[in-house]
Amino acid sequence: MKSGILILALISFSAWAQVSNDCVPLNVPTVDIKDLQKLLDWHGANAEQIEKAPCKTVNPPSAKDLDDFIKSKTAGSANAQINGVNFQNESPALIEAFKNFTTAKDGFGIFPEPDLQKNFQVDYKINPECQKVRCAMEKIWGKGLSEKILYLNLKHHFNSSEFAFQNSDRFTEAEMNDVLMGIEDLPAHLIPLGKDNQRLTHFKRGYTLKNYDSNVVANAVVMLFDSWDTEPAREKQYTIFHESSHNVSSKLGNLDESPEWLAQSSWVKTGDNWTADPNACQITEYGATNPWEDFAESMSTYRYNAQAFKTKCPKKYEFIKTKVAKGIEYIEVKSCSPISEEKLKLAQNSILEKISDSLHEQTFSAQEVSKACADSFSYPPKDEEMKKCSVKLMTSGQTNSSNRIAEALSLAQIPDTQANRDQVLSGLGILIANDEALKLKMIEKAKGIPEAIESIVKTSISEAIPKEMANKPLDSEDYSWRIYQEACRAQVFQAISKDDFAHCHLKTIIKKDKDSERWNSGYFSAYKAPPLFKAEALTALEAKRDAALEDHLMSQETTKVAMKKVEAEIKETLSWHNRHESVLLYEMKDWKKKTPEEFCSLTYAKSSNMLSSMGVKEGTPIPSIQDWCVKKQSEKNRRHEFSDEEWKEYTESVLK
Amino acid sequence: MNRIGLIALFICLNVFANSSWQQEVKTFLPKPISEFKTRQTTLTEVEKNLGKAQHIQGTRYYWEKDGLKYALELTFESNVLTSLHYTFTGKKPDLILLQKHINLKNFTPFPTEGKSIGRFLKLEEKGSELIIDPVSKTIYSVRLP
């Protein structure tokens, strides 16, 4: 590698200096020539290999590319004032981007730095001439650079504004080209990569971070240092790719510390130190330092020196291929080239035609119906839901055919990789949505779905509930059944287990109790008067469970398991104190068998507590209450519902 | 406010001012690790909770967590815990939780071995160590004496 001296220093990663006294002036780098050979192996590809890597991005996006992309992201309209600048009728996405570019934060973009905040209207006199973000940015950065900064942000979610992060300097347009070309060497499915308006800036020129030596080229924050400036273009891009790879790991859930990745080299961490199995296959010397660099170097070598990587470390190569690259390989152009519009259309149309031709013979399983319709149905299904479900069902049924996709890819001469399959299928949804004729055909075909759903529901519940429930038609008006439908429908679609079903079923019973008019306005509401029927939650639950078991003939064993879940849930989530009426129903469910005297005796016992709460001393004789209650009950020949007023009136009369 | 009130207020303010990132970060540790106390907890007590160490190097004992060998390092002297090092696994605590307690100016790059200057930042203070991931803006690992 001609410039291996600098490449070796790429060394990546973070470190921070908040203020200029933490930055240190650079010394001229010196590298011992005898270390040169060692340096050559520090990274996974040399300049020539990078240059020749298949599907390498060789040009930055053109002015038209930039314009087209930015316009595609600028829907909507809003007014705003951002850091002194007014915008009128501007896209909210662009306003947000401008805010990110011009709001000063610390070096990581974590905490605001109000002392560094600029007023851009004062500094750049943007209004009134400019009322739009692109115009304002042009005044600040110039036409070419401003468009690239905006594109990098909108497409890749990186922020390269020198105003946004402490100790940053402005990129030149040529440097920005290398940044874009490095980033766009990533597989398309990993874009956008930046996280939360992430930094990707040039560090303050002439300085580096304390603890860094002058060879450090970049870090994963991402900061680029002066040494990066002196690299040839392709190596600059390698650096960007390497640092991006750390972010790829982050995007994929810290893949570089996943047990599967650590197992590749038997990485072990003791305290702060990492050690690998000395016999593990390491693709570069730098990668051997820790699993994070191992991952970033593997990614970079996979991208720029694939054949060597595959030959030397086939297991690691396979890991990157399947876990990161979705099957895209960079060994030859045909295995990595982006799909042209023409090829994409050819493959998609081929699939559409086959879908259309074979709809008449399509059948669908209960599982497919459940998967396609579970989220889009209310009961009974509405027309719109029916259409949505039909199209989804037909499409998923058809496109899940691996052979069909393979045939379409082959016809269009597209390499059969997961990434390419994803791309073809994701575009297919839009095509189907716009193809009214095909949609109608699918809906027509899917007319049997309701029957299929009914069959699924019945199969699912037949093992879990009594036959008389299972045999009810889906449109039954039966109250219990409807409540059950509402509560358990989604679970039924997913073919729930017997225990889960019982859990759901008991929940419906509780819901039914709570909602029942019978409970809330009928005979037992006599007991609502005294606010003292607040049975302890668990006692009430016991009663409730017994009643539920009696009433619904649930399988004892299944119910016990389910009730345990319900009890735990109810303890956490339900306020039983507010539902005492419902609870009392169970305590007094045999009220009809009681005489007015017995009934009032119970009422009296409870109401005396209420009187106590009203200030009546314990032991105060209130002899007439029983008589009064019995009289009232007998007069009306029913269980009189005592109102709050009546209780109060009576109590006061007794006290007098 | 009487004198006693002033003294109480002073004590409260003093306690508040002394609230440190070490105390804060300890609350993010999973149980039972958060309950271990240096200079109090014994190896026997730890083993009761975590089982035998999976790896031992001198006075350092290591346990795996969530597939990470070894997320937990405990140092014992005379059978008593003297230092705890934990690498957060899975979802890591957000750095913003320590905003009031840390100053990014005091952090240095990590790791530092060889030519690598690391992708993390380290804060060392009175025998404690905090490592943060500036990319995900999360707390990566902690060492508490």
Side-chain angles (χ1 to χ4, degrees), chain A residues 11 13-15 18 42 108 110-111 211-212 220 247 256-257 268-269 271-272 292, chain B residues 69-70 73 85 87 95 99 105 109 115 117-121 129 134-135 137 140:
Chain A
I11 292 183
F13 323 117
S14 66
Q18 283 278 319
W42 189 253
F108 305 108
I110 300 173
F111 308 134
N211 291 15
Y212 273 25
N247 291 274
D256 59 5
E257 277 193 14
V268 168
K269 188 171 194 275
D272 291 332
W292 318 311
Chain B
K69 287 178 183 170
Y70 297 98
E73 176 194 87
H85 182 287
T87 305
L95 192 53
Q99 183 174 5
K105 290 174 197 172
K115 289 287 181 185
I117 300 207
R119 60 175 289 215
F120 295 94
L121 292 177
E129 168 198 292
V135 175
K137 300 177 178 59
Y140 178 74

mmCIF file of all heavy atoms in Angstrom, chain A residues 11 13-15 18 42 108 110-111 211-212 220 247 256-257 268-269 271-272 292, chain B residues 69-70 73 85 87 95 99 105 109 115 117-121 129 134-135 137 140:
data_model
loop_
_atom_site.group_PDB
_atom_site.id
_atom_site.type_symbol
_atom_site.label_atom_id
_atom_site.label_comp_id
_atom_site.label_asym_id
_atom_site.label_seq_id
_atom_site.Cartn_x
_atom_site.Cartn_y
_atom_site.Cartn_z
ATOM 1 N N ILE A 11 -6.558 3.786 12.943
ATOM 2 C CA ILE A 11 -6.678 3.575 14.372
ATOM 3 C C ILE A 11 -8.014 3.883 14.993
ATOM 4 O O ILE A 11 -8.272 3.534 16.098
ATOM 5 C CB ILE A 11 -5.604 4.414 15.086
ATOM 6 C CG1 ILE A 11 -4.274 3.848 14.749
ATOM 7 C CG2 ILE A 11 -5.804 4.428 16.589
ATOM 8 C CD1 ILE A 11 -3.140 4.471 15.397
ATOM 9 N N PHE A 13 -11.509 5.611 16.287
ATOM 10 C CA PHE A 13 -12.309 5.780 17.482
ATOM 11 C C PHE A 13 -12.092 6.965 18.358
ATOM 12 O O PHE A 13 -11.244 7.773 18.193
ATOM 13 C CB PHE A 13 -12.356 4.534 18.306
ATOM 14 C CG PHE A 13 -12.396 3.466 17.324
ATOM 15 C CD1 PHE A 13 -11.396 2.550 17.240
ATOM 16 C CD2 PHE A 13 -13.389 3.502 16.370
ATOM 17 C CE1 PHE A 13 -11.437 1.626 16.257
ATOM 18 C CE2 PHE A 13 -13.420 2.559 15.405
ATOM 19 C CZ PHE A 13 -12.439 1.629 15.353
ATOM 20 N N SER A 14 -12.980 6.894 19.325
ATOM 21 C CA SER A 14 -13.314 8.117 19.978
ATOM 22 C C SER A 14 -12.273 8.635 20.926
ATOM 23 O O SER A 14 -11.342 7.974 21.298
ATOM 24 C CB SER A 14 -14.576 7.891 20.740
ATOM 25 O OG SER A 14 -14.294 6.964 21.741
ATOM 26 N N ALA A 15 -12.562 9.777 21.347
ATOM 27 C CA ALA A 15 -11.804 10.488 22.332
ATOM 28 C C ALA A 15 -12.236 11.894 22.147
ATOM 29 O O ALA A 15 -12.593 12.285 21.063
ATOM 30 C CB ALA A 15 -10.321 10.383 22.087
ATOM 31 N N GLN A 18 -13.086 18.840 24.855
ATOM 32 C CA GLN A 18 -14.198 19.778 24.792
ATOM 33 C C GLN A 18 -13.768 21.170 24.383
ATOM 34 O O GLN A 18 -14.475 21.859 23.681
ATOM 35 C CB GLN A 18 -14.849 19.873 26.169
ATOM 36 C CG GLN A 18 -15.717 18.708 26.474
ATOM 37 C CD GLN A 18 -17.082 18.868 25.858
ATOM 38 O OE1 GLN A 18 -17.649 19.953 25.866
ATOM 39 N NE2 GLN A 18 -17.599 17.821 25.291
ATOM 40 N N TRP A 42 -1.773 -3.946 8.431
ATOM 41 C CA TRP A 42 -2.582 -3.353 9.493
ATOM 42 C C TRP A 42 -4.043 -3.304 9.082
ATOM 43 O O TRP A 42 -4.937 -3.471 9.888
ATOM 44 C CB TRP A 42 -2.039 -1.967 9.807
ATOM 45 C CG TRP A 42 -2.659 -1.351 11.009
ATOM 46 C CD1 TRP A 42 -3.553 -0.323 11.034
ATOM 47 C CD2 TRP A 42 -2.438 -1.713 12.380
ATOM 48 N NE1 TRP A 42 -3.898 -0.027 12.325
ATOM 49 C CE2 TRP A 42 -3.231 -0.859 13.183
ATOM 50 C CE3 TRP A 42 -1.643 -2.679 13.008
ATOM 51 C CZ2 TRP A 42 -3.261 -0.933 14.566
ATOM 52 C CZ3 TRP A 42 -1.670 -2.746 14.400
ATOM 53 C CH2 TRP A 42 -2.471 -1.889 15.159
ATOM 54 N N PHE A 108 -20.177 15.306 21.199
ATOM 55 C CA PHE A 108 -20.925 14.101 20.857
ATOM 56 C C PHE A 108 -22.370 14.393 20.530
ATOM 57 O O PHE A 108 -23.155 13.494 20.270
ATOM 58 C CB PHE A 108 -20.867 13.093 22.016
ATOM 59 C CG PHE A 108 -19.480 12.765 22.410
ATOM 60 C CD1 PHE A 108 -18.952 13.222 23.592
ATOM 61 C CD2 PHE A 108 -18.676 12.028 21.558
ATOM 62 C CE1 PHE A 108 -17.651 12.944 23.942
ATOM 63 C CE2 PHE A 108 -17.376 11.746 21.903
ATOM 64 C CZ PHE A 108 -16.855 12.203 23.095
ATOM 65 N N ILE A 110 -24.476 15.467 22.668
ATOM 66 C CA ILE A 110 -25.306 15.022 23.787
ATOM 67 C C ILE A 110 -25.902 16.224 24.526
ATOM 68 O O ILE A 110 -27.115 16.308 24.694
ATOM 69 C CB ILE A 110 -24.494 14.157 24.773
ATOM 70 C CG1 ILE A 110 -23.933 12.916 24.064
ATOM 71 C CG2 ILE A 110 -25.353 13.735 25.966
ATOM 72 C CD1 ILE A 110 -22.973 12.087 24.892
ATOM 73 N N PHE A 111 -25.028 17.133 24.943
ATOM 74 C CA PHE A 111 -25.511 18.259 25.733
ATOM 75 C C PHE A 111 -25.414 19.566 24.939
ATOM 76 O O PHE A 111 -24.454 19.769 24.191
ATOM 77 C CB PHE A 111 -24.677 18.397 27.024
ATOM 78 C CG PHE A 111 -24.569 17.116 27.805
ATOM 79 C CD1 PHE A 111 -23.350 16.686 28.310
ATOM 80 C CD2 PHE A 111 -25.696 16.337 28.044
ATOM 81 C CE1 PHE A 111 -23.250 15.501 29.043
ATOM 82 C CE2 PHE A 111 -25.602 15.151 28.770
ATOM 83 C CZ PHE A 111 -24.382 14.738 29.271
ATOM 84 N N ASN A 211 -4.031 12.821 24.122
ATOM 85 C CA ASN A 211 -3.849 11.354 24.144
ATOM 86 C C ASN A 211 -3.752 10.756 22.745
ATOM 87 O O ASN A 211 -3.484 9.579 22.594
ATOM 88 C CB ASN A 211 -4.962 10.600 24.897
ATOM 89 C CG ASN A 211 -4.906 10.861 26.372
ATOM 90 O OD1 ASN A 211 -4.233 11.799 26.787
ATOM 91 N ND2 ASN A 211 -5.579 10.057 27.151
ATOM 92 N N TYR A 212 -4.062 11.518 21.721
ATOM 93 C CA TYR A 212 -3.908 11.013 20.361
ATOM 94 C C TYR A 212 -2.524 11.411 19.867
ATOM 95 O O TYR A 212 -2.066 12.508 20.162
ATOM 96 C CB TYR A 212 -4.939 11.649 19.421
ATOM 97 C CG TYR A 212 -6.272 10.938 19.354
ATOM 98 C CD1 TYR A 212 -6.733 10.142 20.397
ATOM 99 C CD2 TYR A 212 -7.090 11.086 18.239
ATOM 100 C CE1 TYR A 212 -7.953 9.520 20.329
ATOM 101 C CE2 TYR A 212 -8.324 10.465 18.162
ATOM 102 C CZ TYR A 212 -8.751 9.682 19.216
ATOM 103 O OH TYR A 212 -9.968 9.061 19.142
ATOM 104 N N ALA A 220 -14.625 6.677 15.685
ATOM 105 C CA ALA A 220 -15.987 6.236 15.366
ATOM 106 C C ALA A 220 -17.061 7.229 15.764
ATOM 107 O O ALA A 220 -18.237 6.972 15.560
ATOM 108 C CB ALA A 220 -16.269 4.891 16.033
ATOM 109 N N ASN A 247 -20.563 1.814 13.373
ATOM 110 C CA ASN A 247 -21.959 2.237 13.477
ATOM 111 C C ASN A 247 -22.914 1.177 12.951
ATOM 112 O O ASN A 247 -24.048 1.076 13.398
ATOM 113 C CB ASN A 247 -22.161 3.558 12.722
ATOM 114 C CG ASN A 247 -21.450 4.692 13.424
ATOM 115 O OD1 ASN A 247 -21.995 5.296 14.331
ATOM 116 N ND2 ASN A 247 -20.206 4.959 13.028
ATOM 117 N N ASP A 256 -21.063 -6.505 17.204
ATOM 118 C CA ASP A 256 -19.659 -6.818 17.480
ATOM 119 C C ASP A 256 -19.422 -7.342 18.897
ATOM 120 O O ASP A 256 -18.302 -7.707 19.248
ATOM 121 C CB ASP A 256 -18.745 -5.613 17.180
ATOM 122 C CG ASP A 256 -19.089 -4.380 17.989
ATOM 123 O OD1 ASP A 256 -19.979 -4.470 18.853
ATOM 124 O OD2 ASP A 256 -18.486 -3.315 17.737
ATOM 125 N N GLU A 257 -20.456 -7.344 19.713
ATOM 126 C CA GLU A 257 -20.328 -7.966 21.038
ATOM 127 C C GLU A 257 -21.343 -9.079 21.221
ATOM 128 O O GLU A 257 -21.573 -9.534 22.344
ATOM 129 C CB GLU A 257 -20.498 -6.921 22.146
ATOM 130 C CG GLU A 257 -19.232 -6.173 22.434
ATOM 131 C CD GLU A 257 -19.309 -5.365 23.718
ATOM 132 O OE1 GLU A 257 -20.227 -5.565 24.526
ATOM 133 O OE2 GLU A 257 -18.429 -4.516 23.894
ATOM 134 N N VAL A 268 -12.636 -13.073 24.795
ATOM 135 C CA VAL A 268 -12.972 -13.101 26.211
ATOM 136 C C VAL A 268 -12.569 -11.771 26.815
ATOM 137 O O VAL A 268 -11.503 -11.239 26.537
ATOM 138 C CB VAL A 268 -12.246 -14.269 26.926
ATOM 139 C CG1 VAL A 268 -12.365 -14.132 28.435
ATOM 140 C CG2 VAL A 268 -12.829 -15.603 26.485
ATOM 141 N N LYS A 269 -13.447 -11.234 27.664
ATOM 142 C CA LYS A 269 -13.181 -9.941 28.286
ATOM 143 C C LYS A 269 -12.904 -10.167 29.766
ATOM 144 O O LYS A 269 -13.715 -10.769 30.474
ATOM 145 C CB LYS A 269 -14.411 -9.049 28.127
ATOM 146 C CG LYS A 269 -14.230 -7.616 28.551
ATOM 147 C CD LYS A 269 -15.450 -6.793 28.135
ATOM 148 C CE LYS A 269 -15.171 -5.312 28.229
ATOM 149 N NZ LYS A 269 -15.381 -4.766 29.545
ATOM 150 N N GLY A 271 -12.188 -7.773 32.852
ATOM 151 C CA GLY A 271 -12.112 -6.347 33.172
ATOM 152 C C GLY A 271 -12.228 -5.548 31.899
ATOM 153 O O GLY A 271 -13.187 -5.697 31.158
ATOM 154 N N ASP A 272 -11.210 -4.732 31.617
ATOM 155 C CA ASP A 272 -11.236 -3.913 30.408
ATOM 156 C C ASP A 272 -10.465 -4.539 29.247
ATOM 157 O O ASP A 272 -10.352 -3.930 28.179
ATOM 158 C CB ASP A 272 -10.625 -2.528 30.697
ATOM 159 C CG ASP A 272 -11.509 -1.707 31.605
ATOM 160 O OD1 ASP A 272 -12.739 -1.918 31.576
ATOM 161 O OD2 ASP A 272 -10.970 -0.865 32.349
ATOM 162 N N TRP A 292 -14.315 -5.212 18.546
ATOM 163 C CA TRP A 292 -14.907 -4.095 17.807
ATOM 164 C C TRP A 292 -14.107 -3.833 16.531
ATOM 165 O O TRP A 292 -14.672 -3.630 15.457
ATOM 166 C CB TRP A 292 -14.945 -2.816 18.660
ATOM 167 C CG TRP A 292 -15.364 -3.067 20.079
ATOM 168 C CD1 TRP A 292 -16.454 -3.787 20.486
ATOM 169 C CD2 TRP A 292 -14.685 -2.651 21.268
ATOM 170 N NE1 TRP A 292 -16.508 -3.815 21.860
ATOM 171 C CE2 TRP A 292 -15.446 -3.132 22.374
ATOM 172 C CE3 TRP A 292 -13.544 -1.912 21.529
ATOM 173 C CZ2 TRP A 292 -15.076 -2.892 23.706
ATOM 174 C CZ3 TRP A 292 -13.192 -1.663 22.846
ATOM 175 C CH2 TRP A 292 -13.933 -2.161 23.919
ATOM 176 N N LYS B 69 -18.539 -13.276 27.943
ATOM 177 C CA LYS B 69 -17.488 -13.756 28.844
ATOM 178 C C LYS B 69 -16.443 -12.659 28.946
ATOM 179 O O LYS B 69 -15.782 -12.386 27.935
ATOM 180 C CB LYS B 69 -16.813 -15.006 28.284
ATOM 181 C CG LYS B 69 -17.662 -16.261 28.349
ATOM 182 C CD LYS B 69 -16.888 -17.398 27.727
ATOM 183 C CE LYS B 69 -17.728 -18.656 27.702
ATOM 184 N NZ LYS B 69 -17.105 -19.713 26.908
ATOM 185 N N TYR B 70 -16.285 -11.982 30.042
ATOM 186 C CA TYR B 70 -16.982 -12.081 31.295
ATOM 187 C C TYR B 70 -17.494 -10.691 31.610
ATOM 188 O O TYR B 70 -16.691 -9.757 31.710
ATOM 189 C CB TYR B 70 -16.035 -12.571 32.387
ATOM 190 C CG TYR B 70 -15.541 -13.995 32.060
ATOM 191 C CD1 TYR B 70 -14.303 -14.182 31.451
ATOM 192 C CD2 TYR B 70 -16.332 -15.111 32.344
ATOM 193 C CE1 TYR B 70 -13.863 -15.470 31.139
ATOM 194 C CE2 TYR B 70 -15.881 -16.398 32.035
ATOM 195 C CZ TYR B 70 -14.661 -16.566 31.433
ATOM 196 O OH TYR B 70 -14.233 -17.816 31.116
ATOM 197 N N GLU B 73 -16.539 -8.803 36.811
ATOM 198 C CA GLU B 73 -15.252 -9.120 37.453
ATOM 199 C C GLU B 73 -15.321 -8.614 38.888
ATOM 200 O O GLU B 73 -15.575 -7.424 39.114
ATOM 201 C CB GLU B 73 -14.106 -8.404 36.720
ATOM 202 C CG GLU B 73 -12.751 -8.620 37.385
ATOM 203 C CD GLU B 73 -11.701 -7.631 36.859
ATOM 204 O OE1 GLU B 73 -11.609 -6.517 37.425
ATOM 205 O OE2 GLU B 73 -11.018 -7.952 35.891
ATOM 206 N N HIS B 85 -16.174 -4.760 38.715
ATOM 207 C CA HIS B 85 -16.165 -4.234 37.341
ATOM 208 C C HIS B 85 -17.287 -4.909 36.585
ATOM 209 O O HIS B 85 -17.386 -6.141 36.559
ATOM 210 C CB HIS B 85 -14.831 -4.547 36.671
ATOM 211 C CG HIS B 85 -14.729 -3.999 35.266
ATOM 212 N ND1 HIS B 85 -15.408 -4.542 34.200
ATOM 213 C CD2 HIS B 85 -14.040 -2.939 34.771
ATOM 214 C CE1 HIS B 85 -15.134 -3.852 33.110
ATOM 215 N NE2 HIS B 85 -14.316 -2.870 33.422
ATOM 216 N N THR B 87 -19.590 -4.927 32.882
ATOM 217 C CA THR B 87 -19.860 -4.458 31.524
ATOM 218 C C THR B 87 -21.347 -4.674 31.262
ATOM 219 O O THR B 87 -21.831 -5.805 31.380
ATOM 220 C CB THR B 87 -19.047 -5.268 30.491
ATOM 221 O OG1 THR B 87 -17.668 -5.196 30.849
ATOM 222 C CG2 THR B 87 -19.243 -4.717 29.088
ATOM 223 N N LEU B 95 -26.678 7.552 28.618
ATOM 224 C CA LEU B 95 -25.700 8.466 29.208
ATOM 225 C C LEU B 95 -26.361 9.695 29.828
ATOM 226 O O LEU B 95 -25.852 10.282 30.778
ATOM 227 C CB LEU B 95 -24.716 8.886 28.100
ATOM 228 C CG LEU B 95 -23.460 9.598 28.519
ATOM 229 C CD1 LEU B 95 -22.705 8.817 29.572
ATOM 230 C CD2 LEU B 95 -22.575 9.838 27.314
ATOM 231 N N GLN B 99 -26.013 12.951 33.253
ATOM 232 C CA GLN B 99 -25.694 14.309 32.793
ATOM 233 C C GLN B 99 -25.254 15.229 33.934
ATOM 234 O O GLN B 99 -24.315 16.010 33.802
ATOM 235 C CB GLN B 99 -26.908 14.909 32.074
ATOM 236 C CG GLN B 99 -26.637 16.294 31.506
ATOM 237 C CD GLN B 99 -27.788 16.814 30.674
ATOM 238 O OE1 GLN B 99 -28.832 16.172 30.585
ATOM 239 N NE2 GLN B 99 -27.607 17.961 30.063
ATOM 240 N N LYS B 105 -15.339 16.691 29.523
ATOM 241 C CA LYS B 105 -13.952 17.164 29.402
ATOM 242 C C LYS B 105 -12.983 16.262 30.168
ATOM 243 O O LYS B 105 -11.797 16.229 29.891
ATOM 244 C CB LYS B 105 -13.827 18.585 29.961
ATOM 245 C CG LYS B 105 -14.489 19.640 29.125
ATOM 246 C CD LYS B 105 -14.416 20.970 29.853
ATOM 247 C CE LYS B 105 -15.421 21.934 29.249
ATOM 248 N NZ LYS B 105 -15.537 23.164 30.023
ATOM 249 N N PRO B 109 -9.683 8.891 25.752
ATOM 250 C CA PRO B 109 -9.989 7.797 24.832
ATOM 251 C C PRO B 109 -9.678 6.426 25.424
ATOM 252 O O PRO B 109 -8.764 6.283 26.234
ATOM 253 C CB PRO B 109 -9.075 8.065 23.640
ATOM 254 C CG PRO B 109 -8.702 9.477 23.745
ATOM 255 C CD PRO B 109 -8.698 9.817 25.199
ATOM 256 N N LYS B 115 -1.684 0.597 18.663
ATOM 257 C CA LYS B 115 -2.020 1.736 17.818
ATOM 258 C C LYS B 115 -3.480 2.141 17.972
ATOM 259 O O LYS B 115 -3.922 3.128 17.427
ATOM 260 C CB LYS B 115 -1.748 1.378 16.361
ATOM 261 C CG LYS B 115 -0.277 1.278 16.025
ATOM 262 C CD LYS B 115 0.330 2.663 15.994
ATOM 263 C CE LYS B 115 1.817 2.582 15.630
ATOM 264 N NZ LYS B 115 2.449 3.904 15.698
ATOM 265 N N ILE B 117 -6.711 3.543 19.560
ATOM 266 C CA ILE B 117 -7.058 4.505 20.592
ATOM 267 C C ILE B 117 -8.514 4.332 20.999
ATOM 268 O O ILE B 117 -9.041 5.047 21.807
ATOM 269 C CB ILE B 117 -6.700 5.926 20.125
ATOM 270 C CG1 ILE B 117 -5.213 5.948 19.868
ATOM 271 C CG2 ILE B 117 -7.081 6.956 21.139
ATOM 272 C CD1 ILE B 117 -4.528 7.236 20.014
ATOM 273 N N GLY B 118 -9.143 3.347 20.450
ATOM 274 C CA GLY B 118 -10.428 2.935 20.968
ATOM 275 C C GLY B 118 -11.615 3.737 20.533
ATOM 276 O O GLY B 118 -11.508 4.877 20.126
ATOM 277 N N ARG B 119 -12.737 3.103 20.662
ATOM 278 C CA ARG B 119 -13.976 3.745 20.258
ATOM 279 C C ARG B 119 -14.762 4.252 21.452
ATOM 280 O O ARG B 119 -15.851 4.747 21.328
ATOM 281 C CB ARG B 119 -14.834 2.764 19.470
ATOM 282 C CG ARG B 119 -15.217 1.535 20.227
ATOM 283 C CD ARG B 119 -16.160 0.652 19.460
ATOM 284 N NE ARG B 119 -17.483 1.221 19.354
ATOM 285 C CZ ARG B 119 -18.600 0.496 19.364
ATOM 286 N NH1 ARG B 119 -18.534 -0.800 19.450
ATOM 287 N NH2 ARG B 119 -19.769 1.069 19.251
ATOM 288 N N PHE B 120 -14.205 4.079 22.667
ATOM 289 C CA PHE B 120 -14.927 4.488 23.872
ATOM 290 C C PHE B 120 -14.213 5.633 24.583
ATOM 291 O O PHE B 120 -13.107 6.011 24.212
ATOM 292 C CB PHE B 120 -15.058 3.302 24.826
ATOM 293 C CG PHE B 120 -15.910 2.201 24.271
ATOM 294 C CD1 PHE B 120 -15.350 1.129 23.596
ATOM 295 C CD2 PHE B 120 -17.283 2.252 24.403
ATOM 296 C CE1 PHE B 120 -16.139 0.129 23.080
ATOM 297 C CE2 PHE B 120 -18.089 1.254 23.881
ATOM 298 C CZ PHE B 120 -17.516 0.192 23.219
ATOM 299 N N LEU B 121 -14.845 6.140 25.603
ATOM 300 C CA LEU B 121 -14.239 7.176 26.433
ATOM 301 C C LEU B 121 -14.231 6.711 27.882
ATOM 302 O O LEU B 121 -15.184 6.083 28.324
ATOM 303 C CB LEU B 121 -15.050 8.466 26.348
ATOM 304 C CG LEU B 121 -15.042 9.180 25.014
ATOM 305 C CD1 LEU B 121 -15.940 10.395 25.081
ATOM 306 C CD2 LEU B 121 -13.629 9.609 24.653
ATOM 307 N N GLU B 129 -13.944 3.829 37.698
ATOM 308 C CA GLU B 129 -13.737 4.002 36.255
ATOM 309 C C GLU B 129 -15.086 3.861 35.562
ATOM 310 O O GLU B 129 -15.871 2.970 35.868
ATOM 311 C CB GLU B 129 -12.773 2.921 35.781
ATOM 312 C CG GLU B 129 -12.667 2.780 34.298
ATOM 313 C CD GLU B 129 -12.049 1.432 33.926
ATOM 314 O OE1 GLU B 129 -10.876 1.222 34.201
ATOM 315 O OE2 GLU B 129 -12.788 0.589 33.369
ATOM 316 N N PRO B 134 -19.696 6.763 23.036
ATOM 317 C CA PRO B 134 -20.208 8.034 22.521
ATOM 318 C C PRO B 134 -21.095 7.879 21.286
ATOM 319 O O PRO B 134 -21.844 8.784 20.955
ATOM 320 C CB PRO B 134 -18.932 8.820 22.184
ATOM 321 C CG PRO B 134 -17.892 7.786 21.993
ATOM 322 C CD PRO B 134 -18.257 6.634 22.864
ATOM 323 N N VAL B 135 -20.995 6.747 20.610
ATOM 324 C CA VAL B 135 -21.824 6.563 19.409
ATOM 325 C C VAL B 135 -23.276 6.294 19.811
ATOM 326 O O VAL B 135 -24.195 6.957 19.347
ATOM 327 C CB VAL B 135 -21.285 5.407 18.535
ATOM 328 C CG1 VAL B 135 -22.213 5.137 17.371
ATOM 329 C CG2 VAL B 135 -19.890 5.747 18.035
ATOM 330 N N LYS B 137 -24.291 6.713 22.829
ATOM 331 C CA LYS B 137 -24.542 7.593 23.971
ATOM 332 C C LYS B 137 -25.077 6.791 25.170
ATOM 333 O O LYS B 137 -26.093 7.127 25.772
ATOM 334 C CB LYS B 137 -25.501 8.729 23.583
ATOM 335 C CG LYS B 137 -24.969 9.602 22.454
ATOM 336 C CD LYS B 137 -25.941 10.659 22.038
ATOM 337 C CE LYS B 137 -25.410 11.569 20.941
ATOM 338 N NZ LYS B 137 -25.036 10.914 19.702
ATOM 339 N N TYR B 140 -21.092 2.052 29.025
ATOM 340 C CA TYR B 140 -20.604 0.762 28.563
ATOM 341 C C TYR B 140 -20.191 -0.137 29.735
ATOM 342 O O TYR B 140 -20.623 -1.268 29.828
ATOM 343 C CB TYR B 140 -19.432 0.966 27.595
ATOM 344 C CG TYR B 140 -18.844 -0.344 27.124
ATOM 345 C CD1 TYR B 140 -19.528 -1.118 26.197
ATOM 346 C CD2 TYR B 140 -17.643 -0.812 27.625
ATOM 347 C CE1 TYR B 140 -19.017 -2.339 25.778
ATOM 348 C CE2 TYR B 140 -17.119 -2.016 27.204
ATOM 349 C CZ TYR B 140 -17.809 -2.779 26.277
ATOM 350 O OH TYR B 140 -17.312 -3.979 25.872
#
